[in-house]
Each structure stands twice: as C-alpha cells, then as structure tokens.
Amino acid sequence: MNRLAVVVPKAQAEAKLETLEAEGVYDDSRRVRAHDDDRVELPVLAEPRATTFDAILTQEDPEVRTASLDDYLRERGWSAEEIERAPASWAVVGDVILVSFPTECPDRAAVGDALLELHGEADTVLARLGVAGETREPAVEVVAGSGDTETIHTEHGTRYALDLAEVMFAPGNQAERVRMGEVVSEGERVLDMFAGVGYFALPMARAGADVVAVEKNPTAFRYLAENAQLNGVAANVECVLGDCREYDATEPFERVVMGYYDSLGGHVAGGSEATDRGTVSGETANGATTERIEGVAERASGSEDATDLDPSYLAAAFDALDGEGIVHVHTTCYEPAFPERAVGRVEAVAEECSVAVEIAASRVVKSHSEGVVHGVLDVEVG
C-alpha cells in the first residue's frame, strides 16, 4: 500500500484536497487524519508538483477508508433496520458537515461521530433544521465535533468564508455558481440583487466582471465584503447593504442575477432549504425531505393568477438593464409545471412593465422539496 501523505493546515484542507485531485495524486483509498491540533495529513499517490504543503511523510499505519457511512455505523453495532433510518446523504462545507436527519434516526450523535471519522478534514457536524424569513436565516444544531460553525469553503478556486449558523449556504447550487463564472465576460457590468455571502458575485468577479452585489442581511453582507477581499476581487465588487429595489445605478447593467426565488412572489409556500440535494466533496447533500408542500399542485395548475404576484423585484431588474440585457431568474415550481409556470409569471410581469422578453434557456438546479424544483430561467430583454 502507498503510504505517502502531505501535511497541510486544517483550514486549507478542502482547497488543498481539490488541487491534489486536479493533479491526479490524491489517494482516496485512505482516510484524511489529524497530524496535530492545526494540521491534517492528506494521503497522496506521489509527491505533488503544483500543490504546496508544509511537509511530506510516510505514514507508518495508514488508515484505509471504509466504503460508506453504513460501514461505520455497522462497526458501532447498528442493525440493518437502524442503518435504514440513518441519513442517506449530507454535504461537507469547509470543515463542517451539514446533515438533514430523518425524524426516525435512532442516534444523531452517533451518526455525527461516524461522519467525522468518514471525513477526517471536518471537525463539526450540524443538523439542518430549515431556513426561514426574508433574509434566509438558517436553523442548525450541533450534533458532534467541536461546534465551530465558522469556516471557509472552496469551490473551483472561489473561497467562501461564512458562519453556517448565521447565514445560508446551499450546496446544491454549486453547478450554477460555477456556471455564472463561465457566462460573464471581462468588464461586463453585472447586478447581483441578492448577493448573500457572494455565491454568484464572487465567481463572476473572478472571471473579470464588474459586479454590484446587494445584500439586505447585515451578517451575510459582512461576509460578502470579507470574501471579496479573500478572493482578491475587491476592486471588481461594489458591496451594497440594503434593499436591491432601492439601489440607484449610475449606468445600466448588462446582466442581472436574481438568486432569491421568493422574489417572484413566494408562490411555493412552506418550502425549506433543508431539502437541498446538491453535491459537495463527493457527497450528495440532504436527501431527506423535511416537510410536504401543501397546495402546490393547485397553484401550479393555474388556479393562482400569475399577475397577482408582487412584480417589484423583477421590475427593478428590468429597470437596471435599461431595455437590453439578460436576467437570470431563480424560482421554485411544481416539478411537472416547470418551466411553463415560471415562464408565465415572468412574461406577466414583463407585459405589465412594457418590456419585451424571450426565454433563452431554462434548467433545474436541484430538488427543493417534495414535488418542487429550484429552477432558473435565462431571460433575454430587448
């Protein structure tokens, strides 16, 4: 068995692991393990050429990674029936593991301890209890580990500092975050109406776009400004604290991102981000459904008049473009009715605002909750 490992700071473990995988030298047959209080050992197949590290060593007793959480629980004496009631999926965000636990899970603390063994780079396990309110504040509970909820998460080179007990992070939006960094052009003016900690603004700014990032939640805004500095794009990102409808632009934008799906009128009531099914670090996030959405079928079938929604956010997006450009509209919708239902809503607001629109593309980002998807419409204006 290969025994090489590189020693790296624990705070950088996720980013280093990503670059080792890109080099093709990360050894996923062995577990990541602690080296000392502040550093971990990442198993490698050969000495890295592009990834920096503190030291390289030969492990005397390498630990083989077991196949799954089920194996760890089985080692703890769990029966097959009990394992069936354990979480089927989770997300690793920085050094924090986010889990939506089924209500029938026998022992959440034991699952948390097993997950920490499975992911040696993590040190806290949080139970996700949902997201509430206009500013999308998460409810979480520490079930294992140190309890430190502040972390730095790295995705395709973009670094997100955040406190998972204070601000929302949706692992299932990863592909859309990456995509936004690919569709913009250098020097393009972009308005991110619901910036959060910089989910979409940072990849776009790293691609060379000039982004105005507006965020209403003061805690998320603080991390947004910090993350612009962390990623070296502070010159490309204007951070604005407040309501995006009240932002007064000095010149028009070429692209607008509307990443807050309730901006189309909150037409799926009772939804929870705890049902996110995204993928992070090779694990699928939060497969369990936490609540049933009542009345979705009736609303999606057309009994709710699309023109009854509050058009102010989308109208503000149209105004920001000054007659021409692209709006990326995030929305939730009853799955069989997507994208037609969402398109009808956008077209109703556009007609009300006397704006010509064409739907260039639509895609499902992830499952939002039972029978409901989180989707995106790329809307061409002008």
Side-chain angles (χ1 to χ4, degrees):
M1 175 187 293
N2 185 68
R3 296 171 179 269
L4 286 179
V6 292
V7 180
V8 303
K10 181 184 290 187
Q12 300 176 22
E14 185 185 16
K16 297 293 187 182
L17 192 152
E18 187 175 274
T19 60
L20 290 171
E21 288 180 331
E23 283 193 64
V25 298
Y26 178 65
D27 185 358
D28 61 6
S29 69
R30 287 179 287 150
R31 290 181 51 209
V32 176
R33 67 182 185 187
H35 182 76
D36 51 36
D37 289 343
D38 301 314
R39 298 182 296 174
V40 296
E41 298 174 13
L42 301 181
V44 293
L45 299 169
E47 182 172 349
R49 294 180 178 274
T51 305
T52 59
F53 49 86
D54 292 353
I56 188 166
L57 52 79
T58 300
Q59 294 178 328
E60 294 185 2
D61 54 346
E63 300 176 62
V64 177
R65 186 189 295 273
T66 54
S68 67
L69 174 64
D70 292 0
D71 295 318
Y72 282 97
L73 294 176
R74 197 172 292 113
E75 290 173 5
R76 286 168 165 74
W78 282 45
S79 67
E81 182 182 356
E82 289 173 324
I83 291 173
E84 280 292 315
R85 303 202 301 265
S89 48
W90 51 91
V92 182
V93 180
D95 54 10
V96 178
I97 302 173
L98 295 176
V99 191
S100 288
F101 285 90
T103 55
E104 67 273 16
C105 181
D107 187 341
R108 296 195 303 173
V111 172
D113 289 338
L115 285 170
L116 289 176
E117 283 197 53
L118 184 62
H119 296 282
E121 71 274 25
D123 59 20
T124 296
V125 179
L126 294 180
R128 299 180 71 178
L129 307 178
V131 177
E134 185 181 9
T135 54
R136 313 304 289 166
E137 296 176 4
V140 298
E141 180 183 339
V142 176
V143 297
S146 69
D148 186 1
T149 58
E150 193 168 30
T151 189
I152 296 178
H153 175 64
T154 304
E155 282 181 1
H156 294 266
T158 301
R159 304 177 72 193
Y160 299 92
L162 72 165
D163 187 333
L164 291 162
E166 299 289 336
V167 296
M168 184 195 77
F169 189 85
N173 293 359
Q174 178 177 353
E176 190 66 16
R177 287 190 286 269
V178 172
R179 181 179 179 276
M180 294 313 300
E182 296 172 345
V183 299
V184 295
S185 303
E186 187 170 356
E188 182 176 345
R189 278 182 50 78
V190 181
L191 173 63
D192 187 349
M193 295 179 69
F194 310 95
V197 300
Y199 313 111
F200 303 115
L202 295 172
M204 292 188 293
R206 292 184 65 236
D210 293 321
V211 184
V212 173
V214 186
E215 175 52 43
K216 195 172 186 178
N217 182 325
T219 303
F221 175 80
R222 175 169 59 84
Y223 282 109
L224 169 65
E226 179 181 333
N227 287 331
Q229 296 283 347
L230 183 64
N231 286 274
V233 293
N236 294 66
V237 181
E238 178 186 344
C239 302
V240 178
L241 176 62
D243 190 318
C244 56
R245 293 167 294 185
E246 298 173 1
Y247 177 74
D248 187 14
T250 56
E251 57 182 300
F253 294 91
E254 299 164 81
R255 188 182 303 269
V256 177
V257 181
M258 299 179 66
Y260 179 52
Y261 42 68
D262 284 348
S263 64
L264 276 188
H267 52 282
V268 176
S272 169
E273 279 294 333
T275 57
D276 187 350
R277 299 173 186 265
T279 299
V280 174
S281 301
E283 300 294 349
T284 304
N286 305 311
T289 298
T290 57
E291 60 181 302
R292 186 175 183 85
I293 307 303
E294 298 180 0
V296 169
E298 288 76 12
R299 286 191 287 274
S301 67
S303 60
E304 178 185 320
D305 186 349
T307 61
D308 286 342
L309 61 87
D310 177 2
S312 58
Y313 287 111
L314 191 51
F318 293 151
D319 286 344
L321 293 175
D322 195 24
E324 185 176 5
I326 298 174
V327 183
H328 301 282
V329 180
H330 288 241
T331 183
T332 49
C333 186
Y334 180 57
E335 187 169 11
F338 184 81
E340 290 80 7
R341 177 68 168 159
V343 169
R345 290 181 169 273
V346 170
E347 290 178 341
V349 177
E351 182 177 358
E352 195 171 313
C353 296
S354 300
V355 172
V357 297
E358 181 176 339
I359 308 304
S362 65
R363 59 196 167 277
V364 172
V365 175
K366 62 179 184 291
S367 175
H368 174 271
S369 52
E370 186 177 356
V372 178
V373 294
H374 170 183
V376 179
L377 302 179
D378 294 336
V379 182
E380 292 186 355
V381 177

